[in-house]
Amino acid sequence: MIEVLKNIYERRSVRSFKEQVPSDEELKEIIKAGTFAPNGTNAQGLRFVVISDAALLKKYSNVAKALFVDMIKKQLEKLPADKAEGPKRMMQTLSNPDFNIFYDAPTLILVLANPSCLTPMEDGAAAAENMMLAAWSVGIGSCWIGFANPLQHSAEFLNETGIPSDHRLIAPIILGYPKKAPPKGKRNEPEILKWIR
Ligand SMILES: Cc1cc2nc3c(=O)[nH]c(=O)nc-3n(C[C@H](O)[C@H](O)[C@H](O)COP(=O)(O)O)c2cc1C
């Protein structure tokens, strides 16, 4: 199969990692692949932060969990009881002190959009997918960690990581060598609503 399609069909989210940090060269290549994604008006306003400090990642996991739980609590105040089950389950997971949202991955890359991005979400997501495919192609597993989104609202986190407050956190991606191969993925058949010729 053509290599790019093989990567697309075989990539899976990885949530169990060896301790070894990918090399600087590998990480730079992955980031470079991110910058080659399509982006609105070719503004090229994405910026990246790399964190490979295990203690810091554990600390940021705890910060993000606390912020996420606060968010869910506020949501639950407004939600009818029949819609509360999912958020409650999520809150339980996040309240477990042993749960590391980064799954003890050796590296986290934050994809950020600076104010020059006209389409920050789209640019960041396209870059993130390029990066995850590039990583997979060299044997590095990855997973997008949406649970880390609330870090955007932690002044301490922004200060410590040097992220300017006008930058938006779009995609927090963990990376590392998989401890074991993730299970094969399944997808529903594409639903093509209409094909007009
Ligand atoms: C925006 C976004 C946020 C995600 N957040 C998390 C997360 O916080 N934790 C997690 O374990 N996986 C997270 N994922 C990974 C998805 O669960 C995963 O992509 C999905 O189950 C499909 O599996 P696959 O990536 O192996 O194909 C996220 C994925 C996306 C695109």
Side-chain angles (χ1 to χ4, degrees):
M1 201 191 301
I2 296 168
E3 206 60 26
V4 71
L5 287 180
K6 192 167 142 60
N7 273 308
I8 288 170
Y9 293 137
E10 291 185 357
R11 180 212 57 83
R12 313 259 25 105
S13 288
V14 171
R15 299 182 177 86
S16 165
F17 298 92
K18 294 181 184 166
E19 264 180 42
Q20 188 191 349
V21 181
S23 69
D24 289 4
E25 289 68 35
E26 284 170 321
L27 294 173
K28 280 182 191 164
E29 189 80 52
I30 289 167
I31 291 170
K32 183 176 169 188
T35 66
F36 272 68
N39 64 105
T41 69
N42 200 18
Q44 301 188 49
L46 295 180
R47 301 293 179 262
F48 307 85
V49 167
V50 184
I51 307 175
S52 295
D53 175 321
L56 212 49
L57 287 175
K58 185 84 190 149
K59 173 175 135 177
Y60 293 149
S61 167
N62 289 332
V63 172
K65 283 197 296 183
L67 290 169
F68 218 108
V69 165
D70 282 350
M71 244 166 55
I72 297 175
K73 277 185 187 154
K74 282 192 193 122
Q75 232 182 29
L76 283 173
E77 284 167 15
K78 294 183 208 144
L79 275 182
D82 63 323
K83 298 244 163 65
E85 203 187 309
K88 275 186 181 164
R89 227 179 306 121
M90 204 181 268
M91 202 155 85
Q92 245 175 7
T93 305
L94 292 169
S95 304
N96 176 356
D98 295 330
F99 177 59
N100 178 343
I101 63 164
F102 301 124
Y103 302 102
D104 298 316
T107 305
L108 170 70
I109 297 184
L110 303 168
V111 181
L112 303 143
N114 79 10
S116 77
C117 283
L118 287 186
T119 48
M121 198 55 94
E122 294 85 345
D123 297 0
E129 176 66 343
N130 262 20
M131 291 164 70
M132 292 188 284
L133 289 173
W136 187 265
S137 75
V138 294
I140 294 174
S142 67
C143 185
W144 184 320
I145 303 296
F147 276 151
N149 288 348
L151 287 173
Q152 173 87 76
H153 307 296
S154 162
E156 189 190 354
F157 168 78
L158 295 181
N159 190 32
E160 285 178 4
T161 51
I163 296 173
S165 58
D166 61 358
H167 282 43
R168 265 177 79 180
L169 172 56
I170 308 294
I173 300 169
I174 51 170
L175 295 135
Y177 297 104
K179 218 179 226 170
K180 54 180 172 16
K184 276 206 156 81
K186 270 203 305 228
R187 286 294 194 265
N188 301 332
E189 278 299 305
E191 290 186 38
I192 299 170
L193 286 182
K194 214 174 180 82
W195 194 312
I196 300 169
R197 298 172 199 276

